[in-house]
Amino acid sequence: SDWRKPNGQFEIRPEDVAGFMESLPVRKVWGIGPVAAAKLQAEGITTCGQLQRLSTLALQQLFGRFGTELHDLCRGLDDRPVQTHRARKSLSTERTFSTDLETIESCRLQMDPLVVEILEDLQHRPKSPPVAKIFVKLKFADFSKTTVERTGLDPSLANYTQLLTEGFGRSGQPVRLIGVGVRFAETPNRTSRQLILNFD
């Protein structure tokens, strides 16, 4: 849970749900993305407590059938079964730097251990689906972001360096964050090619 970093353990007891939901931003509710959040903000609604003041009919007028479900969700009511086993779609690691990186060479030096880390993680996940894409994520000094990804490339240092170079060239700003990762094939089968891990 993002509410309790770094260990991610956070308990909301049944008697605490109402109080917790009162101040919870609507953007935290499942199903409310940027468009829905903007629509609610236009109505002066930014928290679940404010959302709870709308009737089911008003929510249906705003969001159609989802309005009925939203009436319960903003109160912490959700009858969907918990899925304890869900296929992982990606694996990544990233690092934010205390001093911005101004050259591609300094970025490459800082990216190398991230690539080693992601390769080691993959080696410890032999039952993971085949890798479909690799990607490099960059955040710049002005907080703009870019992600470069390619299909069919092995997750090797050389290939990640290629993506890093392309991403670095998209902005004239120094780099404050680098992330590397892989996206797994959604429907692996016997004919899928398992990419070979390469530290070179």
XYZ file of all heavy atoms in Angstrom, residues 41-83:
334
model
N -14.203 17.393 -10.201
C -13.629 18.663 -9.744
C -14.437 19.846 -10.276
O -14.587 20.868 -9.596
C -12.165 18.767 -10.169
C -11.437 19.954 -9.542
C -9.931 19.874 -9.751
O -9.438 19.066 -10.533
N -9.205 20.708 -9.045
N -14.952 19.710 -11.479
C -15.796 20.767 -12.050
C -17.071 20.959 -11.238
O -17.669 22.027 -11.245
C -16.139 20.427 -13.498
N -17.463 19.890 -10.516
C -18.634 19.966 -9.637
C -18.238 20.371 -8.221
O -19.070 20.377 -7.315
C -19.351 18.604 -9.593
C -19.844 18.096 -10.930
C -21.034 18.898 -11.433
O -21.805 19.393 -10.586
O -21.189 19.026 -12.665
N -16.953 20.671 -8.016
C -16.472 21.054 -6.689
C -16.229 19.884 -5.767
O -16.172 20.040 -4.541
N -16.035 18.689 -6.348
C -15.864 17.471 -5.547
C -14.445 16.933 -5.709
O -14.031 16.579 -6.823
C -16.876 16.393 -5.978
C -18.296 16.884 -5.722
C -16.630 15.078 -5.242
C -19.362 15.994 -6.304
N -13.720 16.880 -4.618
C -12.348 16.359 -4.655
C -12.115 15.232 -3.656
O -11.128 14.521 -3.757
C -11.331 17.483 -4.371
O -11.610 18.059 -3.083
C -11.398 18.564 -5.438
N -13.012 15.065 -2.677
C -12.851 14.003 -1.678
C -14.057 13.072 -1.699
O -15.146 13.430 -2.182
C -12.705 14.584 -0.263
O -13.955 15.185 0.127
C -11.590 15.617 -0.196
N -13.877 11.891 -1.127
C -14.978 10.927 -1.066
C -16.097 11.435 -0.159
O -17.271 11.126 -0.383
C -14.461 9.578 -0.580
S -13.500 8.691 -1.826
N -15.734 12.198 0.874
C -16.760 12.761 1.739
C -17.705 13.662 0.969
O -18.932 13.614 1.161
N -17.155 14.466 0.087
C -17.999 15.324 -0.750
C -18.796 14.498 -1.749
O -19.968 14.797 -2.032
C -17.111 16.329 -1.494
C -16.409 17.321 -0.589
C -15.344 18.120 -1.328
O -14.698 17.617 -2.239
N -15.167 19.380 -0.924
N -18.183 13.438 -2.260
C -18.853 12.579 -3.230
C -20.042 11.855 -2.602
O -21.059 11.610 -3.255
C -17.847 11.565 -3.797
C -18.297 10.694 -4.972
C -18.743 11.553 -6.145
C -17.148 9.776 -5.394
N -19.921 11.522 -1.319
C -20.988 10.808 -0.620
C -22.267 11.632 -0.515
O -23.343 11.091 -0.290
C -20.514 10.414 0.785
C -19.450 9.335 0.795
C -18.820 9.150 2.166
O -19.324 9.651 3.169
N -17.705 8.432 2.212
N -22.163 12.940 -0.685
C -23.344 13.804 -0.579
C -24.214 13.767 -1.843
O -25.336 14.275 -1.845
C -22.907 15.239 -0.275
C -22.152 15.346 1.051
C -21.848 16.793 1.426
N -21.052 16.851 2.639
C -19.737 17.050 2.675
N -19.074 17.218 1.541
N -19.091 17.091 3.819
N -23.670 13.167 -2.919
C -24.452 13.038 -4.145
C -25.328 11.798 -4.076
O -24.910 10.747 -3.597
C -23.536 12.946 -5.365
C -22.699 14.179 -5.711
C -21.924 13.930 -6.996
C -23.567 15.415 -5.861
N -26.543 11.896 -4.581
C -27.449 10.744 -4.609
C -27.023 9.769 -5.705
O -26.240 10.110 -6.595
C -28.874 11.219 -4.874
O -28.969 11.772 -6.192
N -27.564 8.564 -5.620
C -27.287 7.574 -6.664
C -27.729 8.093 -8.027
O -27.035 7.909 -9.032
C -28.011 6.247 -6.354
O -27.609 5.791 -5.068
C -27.669 5.183 -7.388
N -28.886 8.768 -8.057
C -29.396 9.304 -9.318
C -28.441 10.341 -9.899
O -28.157 10.336 -11.113
C -30.777 9.923 -9.110
C -31.418 10.565 -10.347
C -31.591 9.523 -11.447
C -32.753 11.195 -9.981
N -27.912 11.224 -9.047
C -26.978 12.254 -9.517
C -25.707 11.615 -10.059
O -25.159 12.057 -11.082
C -26.658 13.220 -8.380
N -25.244 10.566 -9.395
C -24.030 9.879 -9.858
C -24.292 9.159 -11.173
O -23.420 9.108 -12.047
C -23.547 8.886 -8.786
C -22.929 9.512 -7.538
C -22.702 8.458 -6.457
C -21.605 10.185 -7.887
N -25.483 8.595 -11.331
C -25.830 7.932 -12.591
C -25.895 8.939 -13.734
O -25.519 8.631 -14.866
C -27.171 7.208 -12.448
C -27.104 5.964 -11.571
C -28.472 5.367 -11.331
O -29.500 6.036 -11.463
N -28.501 4.099 -10.951
N -26.368 10.138 -13.444
C -26.433 11.168 -14.476
C -25.038 11.602 -14.908
O -24.818 11.966 -16.067
C -27.234 12.366 -13.948
C -28.716 12.087 -13.796
C -29.467 13.224 -13.126
O -28.871 14.053 -12.445
N -30.784 13.253 -13.304
N -24.098 11.542 -13.989
C -22.718 11.925 -14.301
C -21.934 10.808 -14.971
O -21.152 11.045 -15.888
C -21.985 12.361 -13.021
C -22.264 13.753 -12.476
C -21.621 13.931 -11.110
C -21.735 14.820 -13.441
N -22.149 9.552 -14.500
C -21.288 8.454 -14.923
C -22.026 7.233 -15.465
O -21.410 6.188 -15.672
C -20.404 8.005 -13.750
C -19.497 9.077 -13.232
C -19.765 9.715 -12.027
C -18.380 9.472 -13.951
C -18.932 10.711 -11.546
C -17.538 10.464 -13.472
C -17.815 11.094 -12.269
N -23.321 7.343 -15.678
C -24.054 6.198 -16.201
C -24.118 5.070 -15.178
O -24.242 5.308 -13.972
N -24.012 3.828 -15.663
C -24.128 2.669 -14.769
C -23.044 2.649 -13.704
O -23.258 2.147 -12.598
C -24.077 1.374 -15.587
C -25.338 1.098 -16.382
C -25.286 -0.249 -17.058
N -24.177 -0.341 -18.010
C -23.862 -1.448 -18.678
N -24.550 -2.562 -18.466
N -22.860 -1.453 -19.540
N -21.860 3.204 -14.024
C -20.780 3.224 -13.043
C -21.146 4.074 -11.832
O -20.614 3.889 -10.742
C -19.491 3.754 -13.682
C -18.330 3.867 -12.719
C -17.846 2.755 -12.057
C -17.735 5.092 -12.482
C -16.778 2.851 -11.171
C -16.677 5.209 -11.604
C -16.191 4.089 -10.938
N -22.097 5.002 -12.001
C -22.516 5.849 -10.887
C -23.067 5.052 -9.725
O -22.831 5.400 -8.558
N -23.804 3.974 -10.020
C -24.354 3.120 -8.962
C -23.230 2.465 -8.163
O -23.266 2.421 -6.928
C -25.262 2.031 -9.567
O -26.277 2.655 -10.351
C -25.889 1.179 -8.485
N -22.234 1.947 -8.874
C -21.096 1.321 -8.204
C -20.293 2.355 -7.422
O -19.833 2.085 -6.314
C -20.208 0.638 -9.252
C -19.102 -0.208 -8.670
C -18.348 -0.986 -9.733
O -18.677 -0.840 -10.925
O -17.431 -1.735 -9.363
N -20.164 3.543 -7.989
C -19.400 4.601 -7.344
C -20.043 5.033 -6.031
O -19.345 5.411 -5.078
C -19.274 5.799 -8.292
C -18.315 6.923 -7.889
C -16.921 6.375 -7.648
C -18.274 7.981 -8.982
N -21.362 4.943 -5.966
C -22.086 5.282 -4.734
C -21.585 4.424 -3.574
O -21.474 4.901 -2.427
C -23.590 5.071 -4.949
C -24.427 5.417 -3.759
N -24.730 4.497 -2.778
C -25.007 6.588 -3.377
C -25.458 5.080 -1.837
N -25.654 6.347 -2.183
N -21.276 3.151 -3.839
C -20.756 2.262 -2.798
C -19.256 2.442 -2.597
O -18.767 2.456 -1.462
C -21.044 0.803 -3.166
C -22.530 0.468 -3.070
O -23.256 1.200 -2.364
O -22.948 -0.513 -3.696
N -18.524 2.575 -3.690
C -17.066 2.648 -3.596
C -16.605 3.842 -2.773
O -15.638 3.741 -2.012
C -16.451 2.718 -4.998
C -16.577 1.458 -5.862
C -16.002 1.712 -7.255
C -15.866 0.278 -5.212
N -17.279 4.975 -2.905
C -16.844 6.156 -2.163
C -17.155 6.039 -0.677
O -16.720 6.871 0.125
C -17.456 7.425 -2.751
S -19.238 7.615 -2.465
N -17.877 4.981 -0.300
C -18.156 4.698 1.107
C -17.326 3.526 1.626
O -17.526 3.059 2.747
C -19.652 4.403 1.285
C -20.534 5.627 1.089
C -22.012 5.268 0.990
N -22.856 6.459 1.069
C -23.041 7.309 0.071
N -22.448 7.083 -1.097
N -23.801 8.373 0.226
N -16.452 3.024 0.780
C -15.610 1.904 1.186
C -16.306 0.568 1.094
O -15.869 -0.406 1.709
N -17.391 0.500 0.319
C -18.146 -0.743 0.151
C -17.796 -1.359 -1.198
O -17.977 -0.733 -2.237
C -19.651 -0.467 0.216
C -20.142 0.257 1.478
C -21.634 0.572 1.358
C -19.865 -0.579 2.709
N -17.293 -2.591 -1.179
C -16.871 -3.243 -2.412
C -16.984 -4.748 -2.228
O -16.275 -5.333 -1.407
C -15.422 -2.857 -2.738
C -14.983 -3.318 -4.121
O -15.744 -4.074 -4.747
O -13.891 -2.928 -4.555
N -17.901 -5.371 -2.964
C -18.150 -6.803 -2.819
C -17.368 -7.655 -3.802
O -17.556 -8.875 -3.857
C -19.652 -7.099 -2.996
C -20.484 -6.495 -1.875
O -19.946 -6.391 -0.759
O -21.643 -6.119 -2.127
N -16.503 -7.024 -4.612
C -15.720 -7.813 -5.563
C -14.798 -8.768 -4.819
O -14.194 -8.393 -3.812
C -14.886 -6.900 -6.461
C -15.691 -6.081 -7.459
C -14.784 -5.118 -8.200
N -14.119 -4.206 -7.285
C -12.989 -3.555 -7.559
N -12.384 -3.741 -8.707
N -12.470 -2.724 -6.674
N -14.646 -10.015 -5.294
C -13.738 -10.959 -4.621
C -12.291 -10.500 -4.736
O -11.890 -9.908 -5.744
C -13.960 -12.277 -5.384
C -14.504 -11.850 -6.719
C -15.312 -10.617 -6.463
N -11.524 -10.761 -3.687
C -10.108 -10.409 -3.685
C -9.344 -11.405 -4.543
O -9.499 -12.624 -4.383
C -9.539 -10.422 -2.251
C -8.036 -10.168 -2.269
C -10.251 -9.375 -1.406
N -8.545 -10.893 -5.466
C -7.725 -11.751 -6.308
C -6.312 -11.776 -5.742
O -5.587 -10.783 -5.821
C -7.701 -11.236 -7.750
C -9.069 -11.274 -8.420
C -9.016 -10.791 -9.859
O -7.989 -10.327 -10.335
N -10.125 -10.915 -10.554
